[in-house]
Amino acid sequence: MEIVKLPKKFREVCYQIMDGNDEALNALETFQMKYPHQVAAVKAEVAYFNLDYEQALDLDLTVLPWLEEWYYANVSDEHMTAMTVAAIKLHREQELIDVFVQEQQRIRAENGRPQRDRFCDILMDCLQRGVMSFSDNDRNYPYHEPEDPQTKEQLWAKLADQNKKLSPDDPDARRKLYNYCCMFGTARDAVDLFEKILGVPIAESSYRDAIARYLYLGDREKALQTAERLATSRLWAVAGPTQVRPMSFFGDPNLREFLLEPESLRRIREAALIDNGLTRK
């Protein structure tokens, strides 16, 4: 299966949809004949974030055998994960299990992609158990503090000992201290440091770490505000123009809970639809 490269006009329509222009969805129809799978994928993403799981799942079922047309493997993982969420919500677990079995048979017959084959097994296990964890090895779900956490002062002393030139006012040093605190410190120290590094470039994982710790501390509103910041940052928009919604959120057990509740989903969706002036290519 060959990778499909989308023309500029298609990409521009996707960017308009990403920025909240619902009318641009109608423009997708002009590409239906030549790029049916990409059109369906975009429509599915919009449907997921409109809580229209029936439409989203039905669309993604048509896309599933063609996910190798995307260069980035995370597109496949994100859509398959969202399909599993939708199937559990709709009580269509067995239907999707049967589809994943067929997908495994296709994979093994055509190209033997072991990673996607194993991922089908993981998702089918979730479908059989009726659970949406998907991330049994996620250090942030459920998050627990270390048994003997170190203070941020202790961790800073270790960092400073490794690099005498570090300054506590240096943004890079603050990021390093925050990451250290996420690994070895308390949740409270970690989120305090997180709030101090907002405004400087940080990784998507830094937001996810903060969300898990806010939830651990019982501050759901701060966790949701951080999810909104992550949606606005567009760090999730890395896999190509058809990625018009933050589908990666479905794979994070902490973020997924926000997507399943209408009001928190509305806030995340509105944040994701802000046109923040990204350079389009």
Side-chain angles (χ1 to χ4, degrees):
M1 193 176 300
E2 294 184 1
I3 304 298
V4 171
K5 185 174 181 180
L6 298 172
K8 183 178 180 180
K9 288 185 177 181
F10 191 111
R11 299 198 304 270
E12 288 175 346
V13 172
C14 290
Y15 297 141
Q16 291 175 38
I17 295 169
M18 185 188 296
D19 294 335
N21 183 354
D22 290 341
E23 293 181 1
L25 281 167
N26 296 326
L28 285 176
E29 300 306 322
T30 61
F31 303 98
Q32 179 65 43
M33 292 295 294
K34 193 168 184 179
Y35 305 103
H37 313 131
Q38 288 68 30
V39 169
V42 172
K43 289 181 177 180
E45 294 195 5
V46 172
Y48 282 118
F49 279 79
N50 287 338
L51 287 177
D52 189 348
Y53 292 126
E54 287 279 5
Q55 182 184 28
L57 181 56
D58 288 344
L59 285 165
D60 257 348
L61 287 170
T62 70
V63 176
L64 180 63
W66 305 96
L67 283 170
E68 289 160 34
E69 291 183 347
W70 278 261
Y71 178 78
Y72 296 97
N74 62 311
V75 172
S76 170
D77 291 353
E78 290 170 7
H79 276 256
M80 291 170 68
T81 299
M83 291 172 73
T84 303
V85 171
I88 292 173
K89 293 287 289 183
L90 298 170
H91 306 294
R92 293 171 60 179
E93 293 94 340
Q94 189 57 54
E95 175 187 354
L96 190 56
I97 288 172
D98 293 341
V99 169
F100 282 157
V101 168
Q102 293 175 12
E103 178 66 2
Q104 282 185 315
Q105 293 171 348
R106 182 194 68 80
I107 290 169
R108 294 168 185 173
E110 293 183 7
N111 53 32
R113 290 175 177 251
Q115 184 176 359
R116 188 172 301 167
D117 193 335
R118 288 194 299 271
F119 197 52
C120 284
D121 282 332
I122 292 170
L123 296 181
M124 285 192 290
D125 176 64
C126 292
L127 288 163
Q128 288 167 347
R129 292 186 291 124
V131 299
M132 299 183 190
S133 63
F134 312 141
S135 300
D136 293 337
N137 297 320
D138 191 328
R139 65 176 184 172
N140 283 328
Y141 187 81
Y143 167 75
H144 295 290
E145 287 186 341
E147 291 186 7
D148 187 19
Q150 300 175 53
T151 66
K152 58 185 174 184
E153 291 78 16
Q154 291 173 317
L155 293 169
W156 173 254
K158 288 186 176 181
L159 275 175
D161 186 58
Q162 294 170 8
N163 188 341
K164 305 296 185 183
K165 296 181 179 181
L166 281 180
S167 166
D169 296 324
D170 177 26
D172 188 52
R174 288 183 177 181
R175 282 194 294 265
K176 289 180 179 179
L177 180 57
Y178 169 68
N179 290 332
Y180 257 44
C181 206
C182 285
M183 291 186 287
F184 308 114
T186 67
R188 173 53 59 193
D189 279 350
V191 296
D192 288 346
L193 288 166
F194 175 76
E195 292 176 7
K196 291 180 180 178
I197 63 174
L198 287 174
V200 299
I202 55 177
E204 180 182 10
S205 59
S206 296
Y207 287 93
R208 294 176 185 266
D209 287 341
I211 289 167
R213 284 148 185 80
Y214 279 127
L215 291 173
Y216 174 80
L217 294 168
D219 197 338
R220 187 179 187 278
E221 176 58 28
K222 277 284 190 180
L224 179 53
Q225 290 175 8
T226 305
E228 290 178 273
R229 290 192 183 101
L230 176 55
T232 305
S233 74
R234 295 284 177 81
L235 288 171
W236 48 269
V238 296
T242 61
Q243 192 175 16
V244 298
R245 296 291 187 270
M247 294 291 288
S248 63
F249 285 21
F250 278 104
D252 183 310
N254 293 317
L255 286 167
R256 185 174 59 243
E257 293 306 309
F258 294 133
L259 302 184
L260 298 177
E261 195 276 321
E263 177 56 23
S264 55
L265 170 62
R266 179 193 63 78
R267 288 173 56 176
I268 288 174
R269 182 176 61 228
E270 289 181 359
L273 297 182
I274 292 174
D275 182 357
N276 57 2
L278 291 181
T279 300
R280 312 298 195 184
K281 295 182 180 179

